Amino acid sequence: MKNTVLLIALLLIFSCQKDEKSKTVEPVIKIDSREIAKEKIVKLSDEEILKIQEEEEIKRSQIVRKYTVSKKGNGFEYKVFCEEQKSGLINFPKIEVLKSGKLFQKLETEKDSTLVLHDYEVSFSCDEDWNFDGSKDFKLIKWVGMVDQSYYLWLFDEKSGKYIFSPSFSKIINPVANLKSKEITSSYHAGPTTFYYSTYQFKKGKFIKTHFEVEGEED
């Protein structure tokens, strides 16, 4: 009888231990994905980084569209050849001035000197006199900002009968010709409260700044 009771007691103890073991949950080890990402990061050399940047620049500078904008005036036809890059930047590889349907003069801009990002911003004029000599000059958009612009300018020279590029004009922001005073005025603002005003005169083949004023600039 005693042996039977002892056997039953042992069976109960073994059964309880088995149940406890079955209830034991193995600990779950969580691995931070950020730690794995750090291990996968490959350190690049300066040369490799430069090569990647150059490849990206080549892709962005690929020509995706070519078109021509033309206008007639002064007995000429002006044709501006446009190239749009993958980045959206538009360059003017050449400008042709035609007379009676034949090439009269070819005008050029410095490569990648243009900052025009939309085809509707491409504009030029051939009916304005910017150096006040009585001849109509050729002006082409160069740079377009949020509210400001600058331009390329070719002055028509009566003696040679050709257009001559004026580098100094491209530095003038938002130029406006004042026929009475024979001056070019420029006004623009930097920030909400600072305004810049300049006046230019054409002297000895260049546009010279003759007046400069700042309003609202903090000391």
Side-chain angles (χ1 to χ4, degrees):
M1 181 68 178
K2 290 182 179 180
N3 291 336
T4 303
V5 172
L6 179 61
L7 180 61
I8 292 171
L10 289 172
L11 289 172
L12 289 172
I13 293 171
F14 178 78
S15 176
C16 291
Q17 288 178 346
K18 188 175 181 181
D19 290 342
E20 289 297 327
K21 288 181 180 180
S22 63
K23 292 179 181 179
T24 302
V25 179
E26 292 294 331
V28 177
I29 301 175
K30 294 184 178 181
I31 301 176
D32 193 339
S33 60
R34 291 175 295 182
E35 294 297 327
I36 297 176
K38 289 181 181 179
E39 294 296 326
K40 292 183 178 180
I41 294 176
V42 179
K43 292 184 177 180
L44 300 176
S45 65
D46 293 340
E47 291 77 10
E48 290 173 323
I49 294 174
L50 181 60
K51 184 178 180 180
I52 292 173
Q53 291 175 339
E54 290 176 346
E55 290 175 350
E56 287 296 323
E57 183 61 30
I58 291 173
K59 290 179 182 179
R60 287 173 57 83
S61 61
Q62 289 178 348
I63 306 301
V64 296
R65 185 163 70 108
K66 295 183 179 182
Y67 59 97
T68 305
V69 182
S70 62
K71 183 182 296 186
K72 293 182 178 181
N74 310 317
F76 298 111
E77 180 181 4
Y78 305 89
K79 299 181 71 174
V80 178
F81 293 79
C82 307
E83 290 184 346
E84 182 179 339
Q85 299 180 359
K86 190 174 182 179
S87 64
L89 188 68
I90 298 173
N91 279 309
F92 309 121
K94 64 178 179 178
I95 302 100
E96 291 184 349
V97 183
L98 306 178
K99 189 173 185 179
S100 301
K102 296 181 179 179
L103 181 62
F104 175 76
Q105 186 178 357
K106 184 182 293 186
L107 311 178
E108 296 181 353
T109 62
E110 186 177 351
K111 186 179 180 181
D112 297 327
S113 62
T114 306
L115 186 57
V116 179
L117 294 174
H118 305 284
D119 52 7
Y120 59 80
E121 294 175 341
V122 176
S123 63
F124 62 91
S125 65
C126 56
D127 57 354
E128 300 167 317
D129 180 11
W130 288 94
N131 60 342
F132 313 105
D133 64 350
S135 299
K136 304 300 182 182
D137 307 312
F138 181 79
K139 183 185 71 174
L140 172 66
I141 190 68
K142 176 183 179 183
W143 171 79
V144 179
M146 293 294 290
V147 293
D148 303 319
Q149 297 87 33
S150 65
Y151 301 86
Y152 301 105
L153 179 69
W154 287 264
L155 299 168
F156 187 78
D157 180 50
E158 285 287 350
K159 292 182 179 179
S160 64
K162 299 285 186 178
Y163 286 95
I164 300 176
F165 181 62
S166 176
S168 58
F169 188 84
S170 298
K171 300 176 183 178
I172 305 175
I173 300 175
N174 301 330
V176 176
N178 189 323
L179 297 177
K180 291 184 178 180
S181 62
K182 293 187 177 182
E183 294 176 325
I184 306 296
T185 59
S186 167
S187 63
Y188 61 96
H189 67 89
T193 59
T194 305
F195 295 82
Y196 298 88
Y197 303 94
S198 301
T199 302
Y200 296 81
Q201 290 183 350
F202 190 75
K203 298 180 178 180
K204 297 180 179 179
K206 295 181 180 180
F207 289 93
I208 307 296
K209 185 183 293 185
T210 57
H211 177 74
F212 178 70
E213 183 179 349
V214 181
E215 287 186 3
E217 187 174 45
E218 297 181 359
D219 296 330

